Amino acid sequence: MSARGVGAVRLGGGMLCIAILGYAYALRIAVGDTSAFDYFGYFTNQTSLLTSIVLLFAGVIGIAGRTAPRGLPGARAIATTCLLVVAVVYNVLVPGTGSAPVWVSAFLHVVFPVAVALDWLLVGDRPALPWQRLWIVLPYPVLWVAVVLFRGVTDGWVPYGFLLLERGLISLAAHVAGLLAALLAAGALVWAASRLTPFPAPSPSSASDRSMSG
């Protein structure tokens, strides 16, 4: 597939995910739950939205035939890492939970993470990531945990039961530590995958040259 074809697929995937997130939010509004802050307080929803934005940006870059900026591979790596954790936690530890329609949950917890992971694994338009940069997968989830815990203290809302303060600090610390360990493990897989030989993507210049000659 050409670089522009890859870009179009990424753009379409990001738009589809945003549309599904919007649909699920509209269902919540219909039953009187209008808080976008609560809806996107869920790690799945927030991460899916942020990943979609990264895909939209990557898609536009690919379609335009431009070279990706330096920070884009790192952003994609973080997004892929977080979605891998979303998929594993939901499908292995807490399957079937949540109030969204089954097909929405299947898309957000299976289809979308798998698609993003395959994009990272197979399309060779990213460099081998330096291992000393593995830590970059942590700031976003740590910030999310901090905001959630602050909300738990101030207004009593947390998205997941394991973050309830009344379960005790030891339980909370163990779950947060487990989450961070899972992120580092998933990040290690993403970093290792960046060193594999995938199907190479054409350079933006060659894609542009073909379109001009055709």
Side-chain angles (χ1 to χ4, degrees):
M1 184 182 292
S2 68
R4 288 180 174 174
V6 170
V9 172
R10 288 173 178 164
L11 186 66
M15 293 173 64
L16 175 61
C17 186
I18 289 175
I20 290 175
L21 287 169
Y23 170 77
Y25 179 50
L27 294 179
R28 291 172 66 102
I29 293 175
V31 297
D33 186 358
T34 61
S35 175
F37 196 41
D38 288 356
Y39 180 67
F40 288 105
Y42 287 91
F43 192 70
T44 296
N45 296 342
Q46 187 178 122
T47 301
S48 297
L49 176 62
L50 294 176
T51 302
S52 296
I53 293 171
V54 171
L55 286 178
L56 292 179
F57 184 69
V60 169
I61 291 292
I63 292 172
R66 297 180 179 273
T67 302
R70 284 184 59 187
L72 184 57
R76 289 180 55 215
I78 295 169
T80 304
T81 296
C82 291
L83 282 181
L84 286 176
V85 172
V86 164
V88 170
V89 169
Y90 181 84
N91 292 287
V92 176
L93 301 180
V94 288
T97 59
S99 58
V102 174
W103 69 268
V104 172
S105 291
F107 179 85
L108 294 178
H109 297 102
V110 180
V111 176
F112 194 52
V114 168
V116 170
L118 288 176
D119 179 24
W120 179 261
L121 177 65
L122 298 179
V123 182
D125 59 350
R126 74 285 187 278
L129 300 177
W131 286 106
Q132 62 268 30
R133 297 277 294 170
L134 181 59
W135 64 268
I136 67 173
V137 304
L138 294 179
Y140 157 58
V142 168
L143 178 61
W144 174 81
V145 169
V147 172
V148 166
L149 293 180
F150 179 77
R151 288 201 60 191
V153 171
T154 56
D155 64 17
W157 185 90
V158 295
Y160 307 109
F162 66 84
L163 293 173
L164 288 170
L165 294 176
E166 53 263 36
R167 294 192 175 185
L169 290 178
I170 293 177
S171 174
L172 177 62
H175 280 93
V176 171
L179 174 62
L180 297 182
L183 283 160
L184 286 174
L189 291 176
V190 171
W191 258 243
S194 73
R195 287 160 169 75
L196 299 179
T197 303
F199 297 106
S203 66
S205 59
S206 63
S208 177
D209 291 343
R210 282 200 301 273
S211 65
M212 293 177 63
S213 62

